[in-house]
Amino acid sequence: MNAAGDIPLEELLADARACTACTDLPLGPRPVLQAAAGAKLLIIGQAPGTRVHATGVPWNDRSGDNLREWMQVDSAVFHDPARIAIIPMGLCYPGRGASGDLPPRPQCAPRWHPTLLAGLPDVALVLLVGSYAQQRYLGSHPQGVSGRVQSFGAYLKEGWFPLPHPSPRNRLWLRQRPWFLEEVVPALRRQVHALLR
Ligand code: SF4
């Protein structure tokens, strides 16, 4: 049930999947998300890319491969909505700009997150992947994503785990910050495996 206690999660998911509020999306509305009652882990990323839009399967791309590698989970576990809920900042592919995909539609998270997240009372850990999710749920940080990720232990106490976007385009970010693979990823795996076992 959601915060009002009167709308089942299945109904909220059906409503979100039927959303056509953004009439100017380049490939049209196709909300991609997964969730089921009992999920303990929630991933809030950015927005689907073209491959995810085409298949309707969240994180079904190279970014998803990298995220699963960081989490050390296979696709069967990752795509089991009763274990892992996936609700991005923008549920639909937003289109392409000069330097990659456009930002998630700003109206999407305010429209869908409050009720959907309220319908997932068993979630104990939320992975905030990339700047848009972190900005919404953690607020600003003088060092942006790097600062939040490096301070992950402080956020973990509140049930948040900030991560960089796992896009192959972020290889340079990773190379310049060896502490991420050495310290943050092992901690992420411990948290994820403790919840999913
Ligand atoms: S981006 Fe969000 S608000 Fe816009 S059509 Fe898709 S689900 Fe609806």
Side-chain angles (χ1 to χ4, degrees), residues 19-22 25 29 31 91-92 105 107-108 111-112:
C19 182
T20 57
C22 303
L25 290 163
L91 303 183
C92 298
R105 289 300 167 105
Q107 64 270 48
C108 194
R111 183 183 184 105
W112 292 112

PDB file of all heavy atoms in Angstrom, residues 19-22 25 29 31 91-92 105 107-108 111-112, ligand 1:
ATOM      1  N   CYS A  19       1.753   5.900 -18.096  1.00  0.00           N
ATOM      2  CA  CYS A  19       1.887   7.360 -18.119  1.00  0.00           C
ATOM      3  C   CYS A  19       2.275   7.857 -19.510  1.00  0.00           C
ATOM      4  O   CYS A  19       3.176   7.319 -20.150  1.00  0.00           O
ATOM      5  CB  CYS A  19       2.944   7.800 -17.101  1.00  0.00           C
ATOM      6  SG  CYS A  19       3.152   9.588 -17.022  1.00  0.00           S
ATOM      7  N   THR A  20       1.610   8.900 -19.948  1.00  0.00           N
ATOM      8  CA  THR A  20       1.932   9.546 -21.226  1.00  0.00           C
ATOM      9  C   THR A  20       2.006  11.056 -21.034  1.00  0.00           C
ATOM     10  O   THR A  20       1.728  11.821 -21.967  1.00  0.00           O
ATOM     11  CB  THR A  20       0.870   9.201 -22.299  1.00  0.00           C
ATOM     12  OG1 THR A  20      -0.420   9.596 -21.813  1.00  0.00           O
ATOM     13  CG2 THR A  20       0.856   7.725 -22.630  1.00  0.00           C
ATOM     14  N   ALA A  21       2.386  11.466 -19.829  1.00  0.00           N
ATOM     15  CA  ALA A  21       2.360  12.901 -19.515  1.00  0.00           C
ATOM     16  C   ALA A  21       3.297  13.719 -20.399  1.00  0.00           C
ATOM     17  O   ALA A  21       2.995  14.869 -20.720  1.00  0.00           O
ATOM     18  CB  ALA A  21       2.718  13.109 -18.037  1.00  0.00           C
ATOM     19  N   CYS A  22       4.434  13.142 -20.780  1.00  0.00           N
ATOM     20  CA  CYS A  22       5.390  13.881 -21.625  1.00  0.00           C
ATOM     21  C   CYS A  22       5.078  13.548 -23.083  1.00  0.00           C
ATOM     22  O   CYS A  22       5.356  12.439 -23.543  1.00  0.00           O
ATOM     23  CB  CYS A  22       6.818  13.505 -21.286  1.00  0.00           C
ATOM     24  SG  CYS A  22       7.245  13.766 -19.550  1.00  0.00           S
ATOM     25  N   LEU A  25       8.470  13.336 -25.990  1.00  0.00           N
ATOM     26  CA  LEU A  25       9.625  12.440 -25.911  1.00  0.00           C
ATOM     27  C   LEU A  25       9.973  11.942 -27.321  1.00  0.00           C
ATOM     28  O   LEU A  25       9.073  11.560 -28.077  1.00  0.00           O
ATOM     29  CB  LEU A  25       9.308  11.252 -24.991  1.00  0.00           C
ATOM     30  CG  LEU A  25       9.182  11.596 -23.504  1.00  0.00           C
ATOM     31  CD1 LEU A  25       8.471  10.478 -22.755  1.00  0.00           C
ATOM     32  CD2 LEU A  25      10.558  11.864 -22.903  1.00  0.00           C
ATOM     33  N   PRO A  29       6.498   7.913 -24.975  1.00  0.00           N
ATOM     34  CA  PRO A  29       6.548   7.402 -23.607  1.00  0.00           C
ATOM     35  C   PRO A  29       6.688   5.875 -23.581  1.00  0.00           C
ATOM     36  O   PRO A  29       5.993   5.180 -24.330  1.00  0.00           O
ATOM     37  CB  PRO A  29       5.195   7.823 -23.008  1.00  0.00           C
ATOM     38  CG  PRO A  29       4.657   8.870 -23.925  1.00  0.00           C
ATOM     39  CD  PRO A  29       5.215   8.549 -25.287  1.00  0.00           C
ATOM     40  N   PRO A  31       7.571   3.988 -20.049  1.00  0.00           N
ATOM     41  CA  PRO A  31       8.145   3.917 -18.704  1.00  0.00           C
ATOM     42  C   PRO A  31       8.726   2.530 -18.447  1.00  0.00           C
ATOM     43  O   PRO A  31       8.082   1.514 -18.723  1.00  0.00           O
ATOM     44  CB  PRO A  31       6.944   4.190 -17.792  1.00  0.00           C
ATOM     45  CG  PRO A  31       5.945   4.897 -18.673  1.00  0.00           C
ATOM     46  CD  PRO A  31       6.134   4.301 -20.031  1.00  0.00           C
ATOM     47  N   LEU A  91      11.381   7.833 -15.929  1.00  0.00           N
ATOM     48  CA  LEU A  91      10.998   6.462 -16.285  1.00  0.00           C
ATOM     49  C   LEU A  91      11.112   6.209 -17.785  1.00  0.00           C
ATOM     50  O   LEU A  91      11.118   5.056 -18.215  1.00  0.00           O
ATOM     51  CB  LEU A  91       9.565   6.172 -15.827  1.00  0.00           C
ATOM     52  CG  LEU A  91       9.259   6.352 -14.330  1.00  0.00           C
ATOM     53  CD1 LEU A  91       7.816   5.954 -14.038  1.00  0.00           C
ATOM     54  CD2 LEU A  91      10.219   5.548 -13.457  1.00  0.00           C
ATOM     55  N   CYS A  92      11.181   7.272 -18.583  1.00  0.00           N
ATOM     56  CA  CYS A  92      11.214   7.126 -20.051  1.00  0.00           C
ATOM     57  C   CYS A  92      12.518   7.661 -20.626  1.00  0.00           C
ATOM     58  O   CYS A  92      13.136   8.569 -20.052  1.00  0.00           O
ATOM     59  CB  CYS A  92      10.055   7.901 -20.679  1.00  0.00           C
ATOM     60  SG  CYS A  92       8.426   7.328 -20.199  1.00  0.00           S
ATOM     61  N   ARG A 105      13.433  13.596 -17.374  1.00  0.00           N
ATOM     62  CA  ARG A 105      12.407  14.639 -17.345  1.00  0.00           C
ATOM     63  C   ARG A 105      12.163  15.069 -15.893  1.00  0.00           C
ATOM     64  O   ARG A 105      11.850  14.221 -15.034  1.00  0.00           O
ATOM     65  CB  ARG A 105      11.107  14.122 -17.961  1.00  0.00           C
ATOM     66  CG  ARG A 105      11.198  13.952 -19.469  1.00  0.00           C
ATOM     67  CD  ARG A 105      11.512  15.285 -20.117  1.00  0.00           C
ATOM     68  NE  ARG A 105      11.913  15.156 -21.492  1.00  0.00           N
ATOM     69  CZ  ARG A 105      11.128  15.469 -22.538  1.00  0.00           C
ATOM     70  NH1 ARG A 105       9.906  15.917 -22.331  1.00  0.00           N
ATOM     71  NH2 ARG A 105      11.578  15.356 -23.758  1.00  0.00           N
ATOM     72  N   GLN A 107       9.838  16.475 -14.306  1.00  0.00           N
ATOM     73  CA  GLN A 107       8.517  16.285 -13.690  1.00  0.00           C
ATOM     74  C   GLN A 107       8.268  14.824 -13.289  1.00  0.00           C
ATOM     75  O   GLN A 107       7.294  14.539 -12.595  1.00  0.00           O
ATOM     76  CB  GLN A 107       7.402  16.759 -14.637  1.00  0.00           C
ATOM     77  CG  GLN A 107       7.277  15.994 -15.942  1.00  0.00           C
ATOM     78  CD  GLN A 107       8.123  16.589 -17.057  1.00  0.00           C
ATOM     79  OE1 GLN A 107       9.308  16.878 -16.842  1.00  0.00           O
ATOM     80  NE2 GLN A 107       7.542  16.752 -18.243  1.00  0.00           N
ATOM     81  N   CYS A 108       9.145  13.911 -13.731  1.00  0.00           N
ATOM     82  CA  CYS A 108       8.834  12.488 -13.564  1.00  0.00           C
ATOM     83  C   CYS A 108       8.975  12.011 -12.112  1.00  0.00           C
ATOM     84  O   CYS A 108       8.057  11.410 -11.562  1.00  0.00           O
ATOM     85  CB  CYS A 108       9.723  11.657 -14.491  1.00  0.00           C
ATOM     86  SG  CYS A 108       9.148   9.959 -14.652  1.00  0.00           S
ATOM     87  N   ARG A 111       6.386  13.270  -9.780  1.00  0.00           N
ATOM     88  CA  ARG A 111       5.066  12.713 -10.092  1.00  0.00           C
ATOM     89  C   ARG A 111       4.919  11.280  -9.572  1.00  0.00           C
ATOM     90  O   ARG A 111       3.854  10.901  -9.060  1.00  0.00           O
ATOM     91  CB  ARG A 111       4.880  12.728 -11.612  1.00  0.00           C
ATOM     92  CG  ARG A 111       3.525  12.243 -12.088  1.00  0.00           C
ATOM     93  CD  ARG A 111       3.469  12.224 -13.613  1.00  0.00           C
ATOM     94  NE  ARG A 111       2.149  11.856 -14.088  1.00  0.00           N
ATOM     95  CZ  ARG A 111       1.273  12.713 -14.596  1.00  0.00           C
ATOM     96  NH1 ARG A 111       1.583  13.993 -14.674  1.00  0.00           N
ATOM     97  NH2 ARG A 111       0.091  12.295 -15.013  1.00  0.00           N
ATOM     98  N   TRP A 112       6.004  10.473  -9.668  1.00  0.00           N
ATOM     99  CA  TRP A 112       5.849   9.043  -9.394  1.00  0.00           C
ATOM    100  C   TRP A 112       6.568   8.539  -8.142  1.00  0.00           C
ATOM    101  O   TRP A 112       6.150   7.537  -7.552  1.00  0.00           O
ATOM    102  CB  TRP A 112       6.309   8.233 -10.612  1.00  0.00           C
ATOM    103  CG  TRP A 112       5.397   8.408 -11.772  1.00  0.00           C
ATOM    104  CD1 TRP A 112       5.655   9.026 -12.953  1.00  0.00           C
ATOM    105  CD2 TRP A 112       4.022   7.980 -11.846  1.00  0.00           C
ATOM    106  NE1 TRP A 112       4.561   9.024 -13.766  1.00  0.00           N
ATOM    107  CE2 TRP A 112       3.533   8.384 -13.104  1.00  0.00           C
ATOM    108  CE3 TRP A 112       3.167   7.315 -10.973  1.00  0.00           C
ATOM    109  CZ2 TRP A 112       2.222   8.137 -13.506  1.00  0.00           C
ATOM    110  CZ3 TRP A 112       1.867   7.067 -11.362  1.00  0.00           C
ATOM    111  CH2 TRP A 112       1.411   7.479 -12.613  1.00  0.00           C
TER     112      TRP A 112
HETATM  113  S1  SF4 B   1       9.055  10.549 -18.352  1.00  0.00           S
HETATM  114 FE1  SF4 B   1       7.800  10.113 -16.520  1.00  0.00          FE
HETATM  115  S2  SF4 B   1       6.240  11.755 -16.491  1.00  0.00           S
HETATM  116 FE2  SF4 B   1       7.089  11.663 -18.610  1.00  0.00          FE
HETATM  117  S3  SF4 B   1       5.753  10.228 -19.755  1.00  0.00           S
HETATM  118 FE3  SF4 B   1       7.469   9.024 -18.912  1.00  0.00          FE
HETATM  119  S4  SF4 B   1       6.664   8.238 -16.950  1.00  0.00           S
HETATM  120 FE4  SF4 B   1       5.344   9.956 -17.545  1.00  0.00          FE
END
